[in-house]
Amino acid sequence: MSRSQAERVIKILISELVEECAQRRQSVSETLVTFMVKSVVLHPANGFNVDRTLSSQDVQRLKQLCLDKLTENSPGPDTIKMQLYFDTNYTSRREFLEEIHQVLESKLIGVSREITDSRAKSREDFQALYHQIITYILLQSGIGSPTDFSCVQDTSAALQSVLPLNELGAFLVLLKKDKEQQLRELTMIVTGIRLFSETSNQEDELLSIHKLMPAVLKEALRVCDMSTKNELSMTQCLVWRYTAVLEKLTDPDIQPGHCDVPIILLKQALYNVRQHESFLKILQTDASTCSKHVERLQAELSSLLKQLRETVQTSTALPGSTVFPLFKAVSKLWFELQDEAELLNILHNISAGLKPFLVSQAKMFSEAYLDSLLEAAEVKTDNQRMAASSDKQIDPALLKTQAWLMPHPADSLNELPLQYSGFCGYMLVKRDGVLLPGNPHIGVLKHKEKLYAFSSKEAAFIFASSPEDFVAEVAEKSRCFPELFQLLKLHQQLPCARPYSEIELGQSLWPMPITKQEISVQTDTHQMDSHIDKSYEWNEWELRRKAIKLANLRKTVTHSVQTDMSHMKRDNVSQTWLPKDAACQSKRDSKSNIPKPQTYMSGLRGQRNAHTLKTNLTRPVDE
């Protein structure tokens, strides 16, 4: 079967498994199914040969095994589901804050678009636009609700001091980007004014800040801190009890026939609670970081409000350039407090989402059942184990073939990148999958740029005598328990199945992983210092011309020869003068006065039949 055909078969198998699980009311993702198919293929007990073409019977058997594994109600699949859930929902602090900002912007983008696209003309339109700006400020600041009349009134009064209603026309003539920028500045200034006005009547600003603190932050600080600590404490108690039980059952002195306890399920339960403990520690670290940020922001906000009060009390009228930057700084700290509140809420939700994955081990092994297995066995905590073995340090002189790191008592060993998440690899192999925490104070083995910690001095010496064999056995052990890949951080050691035909003589079917690291290389354009000769010429004739110019003409003699053809000839130069600009006028403006015609008639009055005499009194033209 070619590679493309195998990939096509696997894709069809994954889609069928998702449908089958959905019919059985089991909601699974393609990522989970893909990992489960890979783990089933890699499990040595299933006997899948990667070099042989999969027949229809093999595909059906693989499908049935994966379906049973996905629908199995045991701690093993639940641990894998827990790992997938955490990887899907958890990310870094920076990405969490970016996501919080994007969600807030998506909520406000509709209101912001209505404000920036407004074409208000009448007074009613201006008032509606002003109310939309107030709504945007309330939603962005988180101080009150737009449906609360008192909050709207306080915000309107603060906005009037910055942008009166009669000056809203200047806002409308701005470009869209300028409107958005001014809207953000108005939000910060008005939020700062409201915070200052709320705390100005109190003697203790810090008390007022606690009263004004967002409700989500109050609830998150109270719930996240206590719930995470309680859950971590309960999970650690289960971890120590499961570890004590497995230590007792895997003791070489106890014969296998004397033990009828399902040890495999106990191991899966131990991996389940260990993984839960690891995730809770990560969430608790982030929550403690958020709490420290909240305390720092509260102190800075209190100090800034005191400074603002002193600035305002010194003068009755202050220019905006003096107080507006302080209001912006106050609102900036307030928005950061809101971000910490949202982040704490997200961490609490992730912590709550991990609980359903502990149900199977809790139902399978009750406290009474664990007590019956423990009997008189001593339950040790991780700190007690480390304290008992810290005095027994390794002597590097006894095993000079390996490099050892001997920690100083003042060194912080929690940040060392230990392999297997700090668990002892020797005990993992010799006790058939039992996880015991390693103690770096004994000594840390450095083998092929990797660090290993051990639970005892004897375990360290035995592991260091043949580290390659133990590393290979740990990788083989992880194939039987796929949840160990995430728990022990064995992603780089996840075996990649290859056909036998591609394996060279003496090479293992499951090769050791290749460690990859992101690097950057920069190549200089000119490795040597560049020198540009601006007087360089490649043209031969240009070089000859320069050579003639550089010749010493004072020591040369110029000869002239005249032939018959050039006799009585000379060079003449003529100059043509261009016509000058001139103007002429061919018309003259003049005027004439024509005499006014006048006529006198006599004999028109006094006589009925008298003779009328007409006399022309018009003066001649040429007079």
Side-chain angles (χ1 to χ4, degrees):
M1 183 182 295
S2 64
R3 184 180 181 88
S4 59
Q5 292 176 346
E7 291 179 354
R8 193 181 307 112
V9 170
I10 294 298
K11 287 182 180 179
I12 295 174
L13 178 61
I14 291 173
S15 61
E16 291 178 355
L17 286 172
V18 173
E19 293 178 359
E20 288 284 345
C21 291
Q23 293 177 0
R24 299 188 182 187
R25 297 182 179 180
Q26 292 281 344
S27 178
V28 295
S29 63
E30 291 187 359
T31 306
L32 176 62
V33 176
T34 303
F35 182 82
M36 199 62 69
V37 170
K38 190 172 186 178
S39 64
V40 170
V41 171
L42 293 177
H43 200 290
N46 296 329
F48 285 100
N49 191 348
V50 295
D51 196 38
R52 182 170 55 85
T53 302
L54 289 176
S55 61
S56 58
Q57 292 82 4
D58 294 335
V59 174
Q60 291 298 324
R61 188 166 67 91
L62 176 60
K63 178 180 178 181
Q64 188 61 39
L65 289 173
C66 293
L67 192 60
D68 295 341
K69 198 72 175 176
L70 288 169
T71 57
E72 179 183 354
N73 188 16
S74 64
D78 284 351
T79 304
I80 298 175
K81 295 177 183 178
M82 183 198 304
Q83 294 166 352
L84 181 61
Y85 169 81
F86 191 81
D87 290 341
T88 305
N89 293 274
Y90 180 79
T91 184
S92 62
R93 174 184 172 86
R94 178 181 58 81
E95 293 180 355
F96 270 136
L97 293 177
E98 291 178 357
E99 183 180 354
I100 291 171
H101 296 160
Q102 290 175 1
V103 171
L104 182 59
E105 289 178 1
S106 63
K107 291 180 180 179
L108 297 175
I109 190 171
V111 183
S112 176
R113 187 183 294 113
E114 291 180 1
I115 295 173
T116 55
D117 296 344
S118 176
R119 297 292 183 268
K121 295 181 180 180
S122 62
R123 182 173 181 82
E124 291 76 11
D125 295 339
F126 276 90
Q127 291 179 350
L129 177 60
Y130 206 73
H131 183 71
Q132 287 179 342
I133 295 176
I134 294 173
T135 303
Y136 178 88
I137 293 173
L138 285 171
L139 293 175
Q140 178 76 22
S141 63
I143 308 177
S145 172
T147 59
D148 190 351
F149 179 74
S150 61
C151 293
V152 173
Q153 192 174 11
D154 294 341
T155 307
S156 177
L159 183 61
Q160 284 284 348
S161 62
V162 182
L163 181 67
L165 180 60
N166 55 8
E167 296 182 4
L168 198 58
F171 174 80
L172 292 176
V173 299
L174 297 176
L175 298 176
K176 185 171 183 178
K177 291 184 178 179
D178 297 336
K179 288 181 181 178
E180 294 175 352
Q181 179 65 25
Q182 188 169 358
L183 190 60
R184 288 190 291 267
E185 292 183 358
L186 285 173
T187 302
M188 297 188 71
I189 294 174
V190 172
T191 303
I193 293 174
R194 286 203 60 197
L195 290 171
F196 174 72
S197 62
E198 292 289 341
T199 58
S200 60
N201 299 327
Q202 301 289 335
E203 296 181 357
D204 188 3
E205 286 82 356
L206 191 58
L207 180 61
S208 302
I209 292 171
H210 282 292
K211 291 182 179 180
L212 288 174
M213 192 180 298
V216 64
L217 180 56
K218 296 179 183 178
E219 185 69 17
L221 285 174
R222 184 182 63 84
V223 173
C224 188
D225 187 31
M226 296 301 298
S227 63
T228 306
K229 287 182 179 180
N230 294 335
E231 289 181 15
L232 182 58
S233 177
M234 295 173 59
T235 302
Q236 286 179 337
C237 290
L238 285 174
V239 166
W240 300 331
R241 290 163 67 87
Y242 279 121
T243 304
V245 170
L246 286 172
E247 270 190 311
K248 175 185 175 182
L249 296 178
T250 57
D251 195 324
D253 297 335
I254 299 179
Q255 298 297 327
H258 299 163
C259 176
D260 56 354
V261 180
I263 299 180
I264 294 179
L265 294 179
L266 281 171
K267 293 176 185 176
Q268 292 181 359
L270 175 62
Y271 302 155
N272 183 267
V273 292
R274 274 292 185 186
Q275 188 65 81
H276 188 238
E277 177 194 19
S278 175
F279 290 155
L280 286 181
K281 286 182 178 179
I282 295 174
L283 297 176
Q284 188 182 31
T285 302
D286 292 347
S288 62
T289 303
C290 291
S291 300
K292 293 179 181 178
H293 279 276
V294 169
E295 293 177 1
R296 176 183 59 82
L297 292 173
Q298 286 179 348
E300 292 180 3
L301 186 57
S302 177
S303 175
L304 192 59
L305 288 173
K306 289 180 180 179
Q307 178 184 354
L308 190 57
R309 174 187 290 184
E310 294 174 357
T311 304
V312 172
Q313 288 178 351
T314 55
S315 178
T316 56
L318 291 173
S321 59
T322 303
V323 293
F324 283 175
L326 296 176
F327 288 140
K328 290 182 179 179
V330 168
S331 61
K332 181 176 180 296
L333 295 175
W334 178 257
F335 292 147
E336 290 181 3
L337 278 173
Q338 285 185 324
D339 294 341
E340 298 298 334
E342 293 294 337
L343 183 53
L344 283 171
N345 192 22
I346 291 174
L347 296 176
H348 175 67
N349 293 336
I350 295 176
S351 177
L354 296 175
K355 292 181 180 179
F357 304 107
L358 302 173
V359 175
S360 61
Q361 65 85 19
K363 291 182 178 180
M364 193 171 296
F365 302 104
S366 62
E367 293 186 5
Y369 184 68
L370 287 179
D371 292 336
S372 65
L373 294 177
L374 284 171
E375 294 179 351
E378 182 184 1
V379 178
K380 298 180 181 179
T381 65
D382 292 345
N383 293 332
Q384 289 175 349
R385 294 177 185 275
M386 290 188 180
S389 59
S390 295
D391 298 336
K392 303 176 183 179
Q393 289 191 352
I394 295 172
D395 187 5
L398 298 178
L399 196 61
K400 297 181 180 180
T401 57
Q402 300 292 343
W404 296 91
L405 299 180
M406 304 307 298
H408 192 270
D411 295 340
S412 178
L413 303 177
N414 296 328
E415 299 179 358
L416 285 177
L418 298 175
Q419 295 296 307
Y420 310 139
S421 299
F423 293 105
C424 180
Y426 171 79
M427 297 301 295
L428 179 65
V429 173
K430 291 303 178 182
R431 291 295 184 95
D432 196 20
V434 177
L435 296 180
L436 290 180
N439 187 0
H441 293 281
I442 297 175
V444 178
L445 173 65
K446 185 177 182 181
H447 178 69
K448 291 186 177 180
E449 302 302 325
K450 295 180 180 179
L451 303 179
Y452 300 87
F454 307 98
S455 59
S456 64
K457 182 178 179 180
E458 294 77 12
F461 276 115
I462 298 175
F463 189 95
S465 60
S466 56
E468 295 292 343
D469 297 338
F470 280 98
V471 170
E473 290 184 15
V474 171
E476 187 71 17
K477 187 69 64 178
S478 63
R479 294 171 58 193
C480 301
F481 299 96
E483 58 267 29
L484 290 179
F485 286 118
Q486 172 75 9
L487 178 58
L488 302 183
K489 300 179 181 178
L490 298 175
H491 303 89
Q492 297 296 331
Q493 298 184 15
L494 180 65
C496 300
R498 298 185 300 167
Y500 291 108
S501 57
E502 297 180 6
I503 302 175
E504 299 178 358
L505 184 61
Q507 189 177 6
S508 174
L509 174 64
W510 308 105
M512 295 302 296
I514 300 175
T515 303
K516 297 182 180 180
Q517 183 178 2
E518 294 184 359
I519 61 174
S520 60
V521 179
Q522 180 178 358
T523 303
D524 295 334
T525 306
H526 300 285
Q527 297 182 359
M528 301 179 64
D529 294 338
S530 61
H531 175 68
I532 300 176
D533 187 2
K534 296 183 179 180
S535 62
Y536 171 77
E537 282 290 345
W538 60 271
N539 193 347
E540 179 182 357
W541 295 104
E542 182 67 20
L543 293 175
R544 291 185 179 185
R545 187 185 67 81
K546 289 184 178 182
I548 293 173
K549 288 177 64 177
L550 294 175
N552 191 356
L553 301 180
R554 292 177 299 175
K555 298 181 180 179
T556 60
V557 178
T558 303
H559 299 274
S560 63
V561 178
Q562 189 174 16
T563 62
D564 294 336
M565 297 296 293
S566 63
H567 181 61
M568 296 296 292
K569 290 184 178 179
R570 63 178 180 178
D571 294 334
N572 292 333
V573 178
S574 61
Q575 182 177 3
T576 302
W577 296 89
L578 297 176
K580 63 180 180 179
D581 296 335
C584 62
Q585 185 176 359
S586 60
K587 184 179 76 170
R588 182 178 62 182
D589 294 336
S590 62
K591 60 183 178 178
S592 61
N593 190 9
I594 301 175
K596 182 178 180 180
Q598 292 182 354
T599 304
Y600 178 77
M601 300 180 70
S602 62
L604 294 177
R605 298 175 65 181
Q607 298 181 9
R608 180 180 296 276
N609 296 321
H611 178 70
T612 303
L613 179 62
K614 181 178 179 181
T615 305
N616 186 10
L617 300 180
T618 304
R619 300 180 66 86
V621 177
D622 55 351
E623 183 180 357

